[in-house]
Amino acid sequence: MTSLDQSELVRLLLAFQQGQLDLQQTLQQLTAPATAHTPDAAVDLDRRQRCGYPEVVYSPGKTPAAIVEIFRALQAHQQDCLATRVSPEQATILLAAYPQAQHNSVARTVRMEAGLPTETRGKVVIVTAGTSDRPIAEEALETVRWMHCDVELIVDVGVAGPHRLPAQLPRLKSADAIIVVAGMEGALPSIVGGYVSCPVIGVPTSQGYGASFGGVSALLGMLNSCASNVTVVNIDSGFKAGYVAGLIARRAASAQ
Amino acid sequence: MTSLDQSELVRLLLAFQQGQLDLQQTLQQLTAPATAHTPDAAVDLDRRQRCGYPEVVYSPGKTPAAIVEIFRALQAHQQDCLATRVSPEQATILLAAYPQAQHNSVARTVRMEAGLPTETRGKVVIVTAGTSDRPIAEEALETVRWMHCDVELIVDVGVAGPHRLPAQLPRLKSADAIIVVAGMEGALPSIVGGYVSCPVIGVPTSQGYGASFGGVSALLGMLNSCASNVTVVNIDSGFKAGYVAGLIARRAASAQ
Amino acid sequence: MTSLDQSELVRLLLAFQQGQLDLQQTLQQLTAPATAHTPDAAVDLDRRQRCGYPEVVYSPGKTPAAIVEIFRALQAHQQDCLATRVSPEQATILLAAYPQAQHNSVARTVRMEAGLPTETRGKVVIVTAGTSDRPIAEEALETVRWMHCDVELIVDVGVAGPHRLPAQLPRLKSADAIIVVAGMEGALPSIVGGYVSCPVIGVPTSQGYGASFGGVSALLGMLNSCASNVTVVNIDSGFKAGYVAGLIARRAASAQ
Amino acid sequence: MTSLDQSELVRLLLAFQQGQLDLQQTLQQLTAPATAHTPDAAVDLDRRQRCGYPEVVYSPGKTPAAIVEIFRALQAHQQDCLATRVSPEQATILLAAYPQAQHNSVARTVRMEAGLPTETRGKVVIVTAGTSDRPIAEEALETVRWMHCDVELIVDVGVAGPHRLPAQLPRLKSADAIIVVAGMEGALPSIVGGYVSCPVIGVPTSQGYGASFGGVSALLGMLNSCASNVTVVNIDSGFKAGYVAGLIARRAASAQ
Amino acid sequence: MTSLDQSELVRLLLAFQQGQLDLQQTLQQLTAPATAHTPDAAVDLDRRQRCGYPEVVYSPGKTPAAIVEIFRALQAHQQDCLATRVSPEQATILLAAYPQAQHNSVARTVRMEAGLPTETRGKVVIVTAGTSDRPIAEEALETVRWMHCDVELIVDVGVAGPHRLPAQLPRLKSADAIIVVAGMEGALPSIVGGYVSCPVIGVPTSQGYGASFGGVSALLGMLNSCASNVTVVNIDSGFKAGYVAGLIARRAASAQ
Amino acid sequence: MTSLDQSELVRLLLAFQQGQLDLQQTLQQLTAPATAHTPDAAVDLDRRQRCGYPEVVYSPGKTPAAIVEIFRALQAHQQDCLATRVSPEQATILLAAYPQAQHNSVARTVRMEAGLPTETRGKVVIVTAGTSDRPIAEEALETVRWMHCDVELIVDVGVAGPHRLPAQLPRLKSADAIIVVAGMEGALPSIVGGYVSCPVIGVPTSQGYGASFGGVSALLGMLNSCASNVTVVNIDSGFKAGYVAGLIARRAASAQ
Amino acid sequence: MTSLDQSELVRLLLAFQQGQLDLQQTLQQLTAPATAHTPDAAVDLDRRQRCGYPEVVYSPGKTPAAIVEIFRALQAHQQDCLATRVSPEQATILLAAYPQAQHNSVARTVRMEAGLPTETRGKVVIVTAGTSDRPIAEEALETVRWMHCDVELIVDVGVAGPHRLPAQLPRLKSADAIIVVAGMEGALPSIVGGYVSCPVIGVPTSQGYGASFGGVSALLGMLNSCASNVTVVNIDSGFKAGYVAGLIARRAASAQ
Amino acid sequence: MTSLDQSELVRLLLAFQQGQLDLQQTLQQLTAPATAHTPDAAVDLDRRQRCGYPEVVYSPGKTPAAIVEIFRALQAHQQDCLATRVSPEQATILLAAYPQAQHNSVARTVRMEAGLPTETRGKVVIVTAGTSDRPIAEEALETVRWMHCDVELIVDVGVAGPHRLPAQLPRLKSADAIIVVAGMEGALPSIVGGYVSCPVIGVPTSQGYGASFGGVSALLGMLNSCASNVTVVNIDSGFKAGYVAGLIARRAASAQ
C-alpha cells in the first residue's frame, strides 16, 4: 500500500474532494509504490526520503547489465549510487558505462555521486586489527564517503601489542562513531570501547583459521563484549557498519 | 598505566619540574588508576569521564552487600547508579540501604540518581514484538532513563499483523534511535528499519520454543537483516541496547 | 496503513465524495487498524477477514487476566477463541470466566466457539510415532477442531514395527492433509509420504535423549525427507501443523 | 510386499479361487513391486497411482545415460518426466535423446510431458526476496508446471522496501498456495503469511554471507515464523516447495 | 500389510484354495498385524519372530498402568519383558503388579522372564571409564542379561592410568562383543579396540562439564575413532549397546 | 611395551631362566614392538594377531611411494593388503608396482591378497538408498571381500518407495550382518532394522543438500534410530562399516 | 602391562635369574599395576611417580564414602589428597573423617597434605575478569597450593577498564605461569599475554548470558587469541589450569 | 601509552628533573610506542623485551613485499625472524631477498636468525598420530628451533597400535614440554599425558573426514582430556604450540 503519512493523506483527499484529482489519480497515489522497474529489479526510489539514503546495490548474482540499469534509474532521480561486492568483471562494465564512477578494488565497491551539492559532516573512525581485515574496512570507508561524512582509517592495532592502541587515542576521541574491524578472537572492539564515549560498531571478519569458524568466534566475542557501547553487524559486513556509523555521525554533526 | 591525555601530562610534568609536586606525587598520578576498591570489587571511577557514563553493576554472582558498597562508592563521587539483573533478594536489601532508589521489578533494575541537575535530551523509542519480550524492553527503558534521555515504549506490533506497525510510524519517526526487542524469527527490526532514517538496534530475546534455540534464531535473523540501518546486541541484552541508543540520542540531541 | 483492498477503497472514496462520510471518518477508515486494545495486548481483529481465521492466543508470559481480556475482545466480535500452551493456573481462571470453554489438559489448550453456525468440512488425519508425542498431537487436534474440520488420530505406529502403518492405509488415504508427529530420528513422515497423495506436514518433537538434541535430529530428518510431499513446522509446533492442515483441508473440501 | 488395498485384494483372491489366476500368478501380484529396473536404478512406476504424480529424477551422481534410461522407463508407461539439478552436460545428452523435452537452464531442470490430455487446474504464486533467489524460484516454477497447475512469479519484493509487497496483494490473494523463496534473515514468508488465507511454503536459500551460514539463518527464521500459515522445506529445495504447492492447488482447484 | 514370507504365503493360499480357510479368515491373516492393543499402546507381538527378541518398553511419558498393561500383553504370549528408564514411581507400581520382576535401580530397569527354559550363550564384556558412567553400563548389563548372554563388568579403567587396561586383557579377549561406556573425550573405545579382535560398541555418556556438551564430545571422539572395530550408539544408550552386543554374542555363541 | 599375554610371558621367562635366551634377547622380546619401519610410516605388523586382520592403509596425505612401501612390508609377512581413499594417481603407481592388485575405482580401493589359502565364511548384505551412495557402499564391499566373507549389494531401495524394500526381505534375512548406506534423512537403517534379527550398521553419507549438512542429518537420524539393532559409524565410512560387519559375520559363520 | 622402564626391567630380570625372585613374583611385578582397589574405584597409586603428582578425586557421582576410601588409600601411601567439585554434603562427611583436611567452599575443594616435608617453589599468578569467575579461580588456587607452589590472586581487572590491568604489571611479571579466568568474550588472556613472557593459561568460564553459550564464546575467543603465549583448558576447568601452571612453575623454579 | 615499568619511570623522571632530558624528549619517551612503521604494517619492536621473543609474521593476506619489509625492520634491530603459513610465491620472493633464510616447505615457514650468539637450551618433543599431521608438526618444530630450544619429532604413534607409544617412553620422558599433534578423535594427548610429568600441549588438526568437522572433534577430545597435564591450542596451530612449548622449555632449562 502507500507510504504516505497523515499530512500527505489529508492533502491528497482534499485535492480529490475538490476535483483537482479524479478517482483514478487518487487511487494511483494511494496504491502506487515509488518503485522503478528495471528489466531485472524493482528499485526502491522512495528509500532516500524514507530512510535518509538511497537503495544500495548488492552485486553478487546480478548481471553487469542489471547493475548498469539500476544505476541509471537512481541517477535519473538524482540519487547517489553505491554498488558493493562488485566483481572485477562487473566493475569493468560499470566503469565503461559510467566513466565518472569511482572503483575501489580492495573494497570491491563502485560509487557514483549524483552531483548535488552536499556538505560533508560528522566523522567516523575505522580501526582494523590486522592487515587481512583491510578489504572489509575499505568497504566501510567507501560507504561512509558515499554518505558524505569524514572518515579516517587506523590499521594494524591488534591487542597483542598493547601500546599501539593508546597512541591512537586522540584520533579515536575525535570520532562521532567508531567502526572496529577484527577477526580471530574479536577482542578489539571491547578494548576500544573502554576508552571512548561514542558508539562502537564491531565488524567480525572471516579471517583466521581453525576454530575461528569463518568469523563466528569473532562474532561471538563482539556480541559478548563487556564494553557497554559495542553493537555488532554481520560477519564481513563492512557496508552495514559504514552505513550505521554514517547515520550516527550525520545526526551528531547537525549539532555542531 | 595512567589514562592521562597529552595536555594533562604536560601540566603534570611542569608541576613536577617546578617543584609543585615531588617525585612520589608525580609517580602516583602517573601510575594510580582512578579506581575505588570495595571489599569485593574494583570500581572504575574514571569510566564517566572516559566513556560518558559511570560504571553499571551487573548483579548476578554479587552479594547484596557488595552491590550496596559499589553504590556507595559511586554516590561518593556524585555518579548516577544503575544495577541490572537484580534478584528480588538483592533489590530488597538495596532499597533498604537506599530508600530513594527506584526498583523496576519487571526490568529487574535498581536505579539511583546522583541528584546533579541534568537536562533530559534526545529521544529513544523501544518497540516489542510480543508481550513476553516486555522484561528486556523494560531493562532498555530503565537504562535510557538513567542516561537522561526521553523514551517511549510501543508494545505488541509483531509482523503477523501487518497493519499494526504503520499505525505507529509518527512515533517511530520522532526517535533519534530505535530499539526493537523481538524473539522467534526476529524479523521486526528489518521491517522497522525499512521505514525510518535513524539507527535501529535489534535485541534478540530468548523467548520462543523449539528451533528458536534460546534466541539464536532471532539473533541470526537480525544479523542477516536486509535493512541497512540495523545493528545487533547480545540475546536479552536490553541494557546494552539502551546504552547505545542513549549515546546516539544524546549526541543527536546536542544539535537541536 | 489500512488493509482495505482495491474494491473497498473505491467504495470508501465514493462514499466520501458523495458526502456519506466526512473527512474525519474517511481518514479513520483509511488509517485505523482493526485492532482491539486490551490493557496488555493489541488484538488483531482483522485477522479472520485477512487470513481466514481469528488470532490465536499464545499463553506463555501472559497473565490469566490478559488472556481473559483477549477472549472477551474476540468474543465481542463473534470470533472463535483458541489459547495454546495454557498452564494449569491459566486454565483454571479462564474456565472460571468462560464455563462454556473446552479445556484439553493434555493438549494444554482452551477453545471457545463463537456459536455461529459453521459447517464442518475437510478431513485431517494426525499420526504419532510414540506415546510421548501425544501432547503435541493433541494440540494439533484441538487446532483442527477449532477450524471446523474433521480430524482423526492414529497413535503409536512408529517405524520399528513395519506392519503397523500399512494397516492404517485406508484411514490415511481418506485425508485431505496428514500431520505426522514424531521425535527421535523423525523418519515417519517419509514413510507416510511414500503411501499417500495429499500433503504431509511433519512435526518434530523434543522427545528423545542424547543426540536427539531437543528435537533437532527429528527436524533435520524431516527437512531432508526423501518423500516429495513433506513440509515441516517448528519443533513441538502442533498448533502450526494443525493450522496449515486445516487450511488445506477446508480448501480441498470446498470442492466436494 | 504388495501395495494393494483391501478392495484390490478381494478382487485378486476371488480371481484366484475361481481359477482365473493360478497360484504363480497370484503370488506374483501379491509380491511383485511395480518397479522398472534400469541398469542403474529401480524406477518406482507405482508412484503416480500411490502419490498422484510420477517419480522425479534427482540428477546429481547419475550418469547422463542413467537419466535417459529412467526417462525411457517412465515414458513407456505414459508418465510425465522431470529431472532436477541437471548439469549442463547432463542436459545436453538428455535433449539429444529427447528433443521434445524442455530445458530451463536457470532452474537446472529438464521436463518432458507424456502427452496425455491434462487440464491445468489450481494456481500457485511464487515470490522471491532478491534476484539471487531466482534459480530456486525457477525450479519451483518448473515443478508446478509439470504438475499442470497455473503459476505466477513475483520477484524482488524483499522486506527492506515495505511498500513493494502490498502492491502485489491482489495477485497474492488469487493463489491456492504461495511459495516464498528467501535468503538472509528469511523474514518474507512471515510478512506474506500475515496478508493471506492460503498456506505459505517457505524456501530458505543458501544466498547471503557471514552469519547466513549457507541458508541456516533463513531456515531458522522461517521455522520460527510468527505467521500461523507458514511451513518450511529444506534449504534451496525449490522442487519440494513446488511439489507440495501443486498438491494443495490441485485439491483446492477440484472445488471450483 | 502382512509380514508373512514367501513360504507362509504359499501355505496360506493353498489352505484358502482348499477351503480350510474362508475368504474372511484369509483376508484377516493377510492384513491383520500381529499387534496387541492395550488402552495406551500398540504392542508389536511379532517383534520376537521378526527380530529375535520381543519389544522393549521405553518408560518415559508412559503411565505406570500403561507399562503394567504392556507387560501383561507380552507375558500372555510368553515373551520376556524389559522396561528401561523406569522412574522410582513406575518401578514401585510395576513391582507391586509383578513381584517376580527384577528391579535394578542404578540401571533404572525392570526385567521379567517369561519362564521358558533358555540356555545362556555368548559373552559380552562391558567396560567403563569412570564411576559416573555406571548407570549407563548397568542398563547395558541388564539388557544383555535379558537376552540370555553371559556378561561381565569392568569399571574405572580410564586412559589416564595407562596400566589399568592391559591388566584386564584376558577378560577382554574372552568376549564375543565389548561395550565401552565413556564420557569426556571418549577415547577409551579406541584404546580397547586396538587390543581385541571382536566388535567394540562405544556408548558416549553425558557425563562431564564444559565443552563435553552433554556427551557430544565423547560421541564425536568415538565416531572418529582410529580403531577399525568401533561402532557407536546414541549418547547414554546403554540399552541399544547391550542389545546389539547381545545379538553379536548369541550368533557367535551358536558356533561353539 | 610388549603385547605378549600371560602364557607367552611364562614361556619367555622359562626360556630365559633355562638359558635358551640370553638377557639381551629376552629384553628385546619384552620391549620390541612388532613394527615395520618404512621411511614414512610405522607399520603395525602385530595387528593381525591382536585384532584378527592386518593394518589397512588410509591413503590421503601419503605419497604413492609410501603406500608401495607399506604394501611391501605387509606382503613380506604374508598379510592381505587394503588401501582406501586411493586417488587415481596413487592407484596408477600402486598397480604398476603390484600388477596382481585389484583396483575398484568407484570404491577408491586397492586390494591385494597374500595368497594364503583362506575359506570364505559368513555373509554381509549391503543396502543403499540411492545411486549417489554407491561409492561408499563399494568401499564397504571391498573391505568385506578383503576379510574373506560373502557379500551382496542391494541398491536403490530408499523409503520413498515403500514396496521396494520388502521385495528384498529374503536376501536381507540371509545376512549375518547388514550395512545400510544412506544420506538425506538417514531413515533406511531404521526400516531395515525393523525387519531383521541381525545387527544393522548404518553408514551416513555426505550426499544431499541444504540442511543435510554434509551427512550430519543422516548421522543424527541413525543415532536416534528407534530400531534397537542399529549402530552407526562415521559419515562416509564405508571401510569401518565393512570391517565391523565382517568381524560379526566371521564369528557367526564359525558356528554353522 | 607393566610401566617399568628399561633399567627397572634389567634389575627385575637379574633378580629373577639370580633366584631373588621366583617366577610368580616376577610375573606379578611384570603384570601387576600399581593400583589400590577400593570398593568403588581403582586408585592409580603409580601416578605420582609417573606424572609427578598423585591422582586427584573428581567428586561428582561418587558417594561420600567412596571419596573417604580413596583418601584413605592415598594417605596410606603418603600421597597428598585433593578432591574437586565437592558438594556440601560430601564435604561434611569428608571433614568428619579427616578433621585436618582443608575445605574451600567457594572453590568446592577439600585438600589434605600427607605431611611430608616439601619446599614451596615456583610462582603462579591467577587473574579474573569479574566477580562471578571467582569459584573457578579459587579451584585453580587450591590446586596450585596442593602442588606446593606460591600463588597470588588478582581479581576484577576486566578489559572494560583499561587502566586496571597495567597497574598489576609488576605482580604479573613476577609469575612463572599465569592463569586467566574469564567469561563473556574471553579477551583478557590476549591482553595479559601481550604484556608478559611466561605461558598464559586461559580458563573460559560458563558465566554470561545470551550468546555466551555457557562458555563457548569465551572458549573460542581464547583459542583464537592473537597472543602467541596463550593455551586453553576446558570451560570452568580451574583444576586443570592450576595443575598445568603448577607443573610449569615447579620446573622453572628448580632453576633459581 | 608507554610500557615503561616503575624503575624505568623513576630513571626517566630523574633524568628530566636534572636536565638530561628536556620536556619534549621526556614526553616522547613517555608516549612513543616502540613500533616500526613499514608501508603496510606496524611492527611491534618492543615485543622481544616484553614477551621474550620478537613478533612473528602471519603471512596470509600480506604481499611478499610487505613481508620483506617486516623482516628488514626486525633485522635492523637484531631480532630473529619467523614467517608462518608462507605460500610458495611468498617464499620465493622472501628467499630472493634473504638468501640466508631457511625455508621449510612442509611447515610453510621461513626462518632467519639475527646472528647473535645464542645458546640452545631446553628440550621439546613433538609427537604425531599419523602422516597427515606432519605439516602442523613441522610448523611447531620450526618455531621451537627459532626459539633456540632442542627439539625431537616422533611420528606415527597413533592409539590404534597400543605398543608403539610405550616404545618411545624414554624420549618422551626426556622432554621439558611435549606437543601432541593429532586429528580424528584427538585421543593421543590423553594417552601421552598419562605417562609423563611435563606439560602436554595438544594441537588438534583438521585432518579426517565425516564427523571430524575440520578438527572440531579432535579439539573437543583434547579439551575434555582426562589427563590433567593437557592444555590445548587452536586447530592446526603448530606455531602456537611450538611457541608455548619453547617458553616452558627455556624456563625449565635455566635450572639445569
Side-chain angles (χ1 to χ4, degrees), chain E residues 158-163 184-187 190-191 193-195 208-213 216-218 220-228, chain H residues 158-163 184-187 190-191 193-195 208-213 216-218 220-228:
Chain E
V159 300
H163 55 289
M184 301 179 82
E185 81 266 64
S190 296
I191 314 299
Y195 280 114
Y209 61 90
S212 74
F213 299 132
V216 170
S217 293
L220 292 177
M222 294 180 188
L223 283 169
N224 286 286
S225 172
C226 55
S228 306
Chain H
V159 300
H163 55 291
M184 303 178 81
E185 80 266 63
S190 296
I191 315 299
Y195 281 114
Y209 61 90
S212 75
F213 298 133
V216 170
S217 294
L220 292 177
M222 294 180 189
L223 283 169
N224 287 285
S225 172
C226 55
S228 306

Side-chain angles (χ1 to χ4, degrees), chain D residues 6-228:
Chain D
Q6 184 84 359
S7 67
E8 291 165 331
L9 274 175
V10 169
R11 225 176 319 121
L12 177 65
L13 289 170
L14 293 177
F16 171 62
Q17 193 182 41
Q18 295 156 12
Q20 291 158 359
L21 296 173
D22 64 15
L23 175 60
Q24 198 52 40
Q25 289 169 317
T26 309
L27 271 178
Q28 195 177 340
Q29 293 226 15
L30 277 171
T31 62
T35 306
H37 287 280
T38 72
D40 295 285
V43 185
D44 179 0
L45 294 172
D46 187 51
R47 180 82 55 92
R48 184 173 56 183
Q49 176 179 326
R50 215 168 60 240
C51 298
Y53 286 91
E55 187 169 355
V56 169
V57 182
Y58 177 69
S59 306
K62 292 194 174 67
T63 63
I67 307 177
V68 167
E69 282 307 310
I70 298 173
F71 267 44
R72 194 173 320 282
L74 289 166
Q75 196 188 38
H77 294 79
Q78 285 78 48
Q79 305 203 359
D80 293 330
C81 300
L82 178 64
T84 63
R85 307 285 164 107
V86 181
S87 70
E89 189 212 347
Q90 289 171 328
T92 302
I93 293 175
L94 209 45
L95 290 172
Y98 305 104
Q100 74 276 31
Q102 291 178 286
H103 180 218
N104 180 330
S105 63
V106 175
R108 292 174 294 164
T109 56
V110 172
R111 190 162 49 85
M112 184 169 74
E113 301 204 0
L116 299 179
T118 310
E119 189 185 356
T120 296
R121 285 191 309 186
K123 179 168 172 194
V124 173
V125 169
I126 303 172
V127 180
T128 74
T131 51
S132 52
D133 303 321
R134 191 67 176 265
I136 304 306
E138 293 275 345
E139 188 184 75
L141 190 114
E142 286 291 324
T143 303
V144 176
R145 281 184 184 143
W146 168 80
M147 296 175 84
H148 300 286
C149 301
D150 278 328
V151 61
E152 278 188 48
L153 181 59
I154 301 174
V155 297
D156 208 8
V157 290
V159 300
H163 54 290
R164 288 183 293 195
L165 187 65
Q168 303 290 350
L169 273 185
R171 292 170 80 191
L172 290 174
K173 285 177 184 289
S174 74
D176 293 305
I178 296 173
I179 295 168
V180 181
V181 182
M184 302 179 82
E185 81 266 61
L188 193 55
S190 295
I191 315 300
V192 171
Y195 281 114
V196 300
S197 65
C198 72
V200 172
I201 300 167
V203 189
T205 66
S206 54
Q207 295 305 314
Y209 61 91
S212 74
F213 297 133
V216 170
S217 293
L219 171 62
L220 292 177
M222 294 180 187
L223 283 169
N224 286 286
S225 172
C226 55
S228 306

Side-chain angles (χ1 to χ4, degrees), chain C residues 185 190-191 211-212 217 221 224 226, chain F residues 185 190-191 211-212 217 221 224 226:
Chain C
E185 82 265 62
S190 295
I191 315 299
S212 74
S217 294
N224 286 286
C226 56
Chain F
E185 81 266 63
S190 295
I191 315 299
S212 74
S217 294
N224 287 285
C226 56

Side-chain angles (χ1 to χ4, degrees), chain C residues 159-160 162 184-185 187 190-191 194-195 209 211-213 217 220-221 223-226, chain F residues 159-160 162 184-185 187 190-191 194-195 209 211-213 217 220-221 223-226:
Chain C
V159 300
M184 303 179 83
E185 82 265 62
S190 295
I191 315 299
Y195 280 115
Y209 61 91
S212 74
F213 298 134
S217 294
L220 291 177
L223 283 170
N224 286 286
S225 172
C226 56
Chain F
V159 300
M184 303 179 81
E185 81 266 63
S190 295
I191 315 299
Y195 281 115
Y209 61 90
S212 74
F213 298 133
S217 294
L220 292 176
L223 283 169
N224 287 285
S225 173
C226 56

